[in-house]
């Protein structure tokens, strides 16, 4: 979907001044934690994530890990820690929190199918995500931060997994057939509007993650998905720039 360069009335801008198809400021760093095999720090708007990767290391014996080890593929384990001060409401999430558990499962399945796990039999890749601040697109930010940390750890994968959110300008109850899609929702927009999280493989349109926690009219879904895929392509270019810039710095230090 091409970028809309037309002039906009202030009435058509979103609360944070963006147009419907604009991403929030996205910045990231690689190798932020020296003790980890791979690490990254990512900001999508005011959502801030630290990700560390350890391994591949010798896998745990017995239980679910035992079946993975016998299959000759590496097991991926994901743990998300959400700081109590990360949101407006200061509450401590327990280890069995339903939304956190679901996000861990989505991230695990997405990367287990994208990483070359057969190269590391009888081993485990540990991914730890620390949420410092929440302002929308939490799952998308976690996926993007994990991609950078895995690249930093040198674990081979078929391509980047990049993610973004897309929403609709009208709620489910409004039943507005002329509702327009929105790209990269912030926290306030997620509270009021239906949205979905889209993850794609690289700059392609191959969808590997599609998660929706709200209700939406079926006729709006196609437009939301198209905007989300276009947003993923923009995120891919940004993350690729971060990786290339880090690679140049490493080369300068070695020369």
């Amino acid at each position: 979907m091409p970028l809309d360069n037309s002039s906009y009335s202030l009435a058509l801008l979103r609360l944070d001044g963006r147009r419907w198809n604009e991403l929030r400021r996205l910045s990231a760093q690689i190798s932020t934690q020296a003790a980890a095999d791979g690490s990254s720090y990512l900001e999508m708007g005011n959502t801030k994530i630290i990700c560390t990767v350890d391994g591949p290391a010798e896998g745990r014996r017995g239980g679910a890990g035992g079946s993975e080890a016998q299959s000759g593929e590496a097991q991926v384990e994901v743990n998300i820690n959400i700081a109590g001060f990360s949101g407006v409401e200061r509450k401590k999430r327990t280890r069995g929190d339903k939304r956190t558990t679901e996000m861990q499962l989505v991230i695990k399945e997405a990367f287990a199918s994208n990483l070359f796990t057969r190269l590391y039999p009888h081993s485990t890749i540990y991914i730890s995500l620390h949420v410092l601040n929440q302002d929308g697109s939490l799952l998308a930010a976690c996926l993007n931060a994990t991609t950078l940390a895995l690249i930093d750890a040198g674990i081979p994968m078929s391509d980047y997994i990049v993610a973004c959110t897309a929403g609709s300008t009208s709620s489910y109850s409004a039943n507005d057939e002329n509702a327009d899609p929105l790209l990269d929702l912030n926290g306030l927009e997620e509270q009021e509007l239906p949205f979905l999280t889209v993850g794609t493989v690289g700059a392609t349109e191959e969808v590997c993650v599609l998660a929706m926690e709200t209700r939406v009219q079926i006729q709006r879904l196609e437009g939301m998905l198209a905007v989300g895929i276009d947003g993923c392509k923009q995120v891919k270019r940004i993350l690729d720039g971060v990786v290339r810039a880090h690679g140049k710095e490493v080369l300068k230090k070695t020369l």
Side-chain angles (χ1 to χ4, degrees):
M1 186 173 294
L3 180 65
D4 185 0
N5 294 317
S6 59
S7 60
Y8 259 53
S9 166
L10 290 178
L12 298 177
L13 296 177
R14 294 151 75 173
L15 293 176
D16 54 9
R18 290 182 293 147
R19 299 179 182 181
W20 65 272
N21 60 349
E22 283 187 276
L23 290 173
R24 293 175 292 174
R25 181 181 60 85
L26 196 161
S27 60
Q29 300 174 29
I30 297 180
S31 295
T32 56
Q33 308 293 323
D37 293 320
S39 58
S40 65
Y41 172 74
L42 181 135
E43 294 184 2
M44 290 184 69
N46 290 324
T47 298
K48 303 176 182 180
I49 309 289
I50 291 176
C51 181
T52 59
V53 171
D54 292 296
E58 184 177 355
R60 298 171 182 170
R61 297 182 180 273
S67 61
E68 291 285 346
Q70 292 176 3
S71 68
E73 296 187 10
Q75 180 183 8
V76 179
E77 290 192 6
V78 180
N79 183 46
I80 299 177
N81 297 299
I82 300 179
F85 54 80
S86 63
V88 177
E89 297 181 1
R90 290 178 175 254
K91 64 178 182 178
K92 184 177 180 180
R93 292 180 179 267
T94 61
R95 184 175 295 273
D97 179 76
K98 182 179 179 182
R99 185 167 187 242
T100 302
T101 303
E102 289 177 350
M103 287 196 298
Q104 290 175 168
L105 182 60
V106 169
I107 295 169
K108 174 182 177 179
E109 292 182 347
F111 285 98
S113 62
N114 189 54
L115 297 172
F116 295 153
T117 53
R118 290 191 177 275
L119 299 177
Y120 307 100
H122 315 295
S123 62
T124 306
I125 300 168
Y126 300 95
I127 300 170
S128 297
L129 290 150
H130 305 272
V131 180
L132 304 181
N133 197 52
Q134 300 183 64
D135 187 30
S137 302
L138 181 58
L139 176 58
C142 288
L143 287 164
N144 294 330
T146 302
T147 293
L148 292 178
L150 289 168
I151 291 173
D152 184 43
I155 301 175
M157 63 178 75
S158 59
D159 206 334
Y160 291 55
I161 287 183
V162 291
C164 191
T165 57
S168 175
T169 55
S170 181
S171 64
Y172 178 83
S173 58
N175 197 21
D176 182 9
E177 296 183 357
N178 297 319
D180 296 320
L182 296 175
L183 179 65
D184 190 16
L185 274 64
N186 59 34
L188 289 175
E189 291 171 334
E190 284 189 356
Q191 292 177 16
E192 300 293 334
L193 303 175
F195 69 96
L196 55 82
T197 301
V198 184
T200 61
V201 179
T204 68
E205 296 186 358
E206 179 184 346
V207 176
C208 60
V209 174
L210 186 60
M212 192 165 193
E213 303 176 40
T214 54
R215 301 174 67 186
V216 68
Q217 301 291 341
I218 189 65
Q219 59 266 27
R220 302 187 210 162
L221 189 59
E222 184 177 354
M224 292 168 60
L225 183 58
V227 169
I229 291 174
D230 181 69
C232 289
K233 293 179 181 179
Q234 298 180 47
V235 173
K236 165 62 168 60
R237 289 193 292 268
I238 295 172
L239 297 190
D240 193 48
V242 172
V243 173
R244 291 176 182 274
H246 177 72
K248 290 180 181 178
E249 291 181 3
V250 173
L251 286 174
K252 287 181 182 178
K253 292 178 181 178
T254 57
L255 294 177

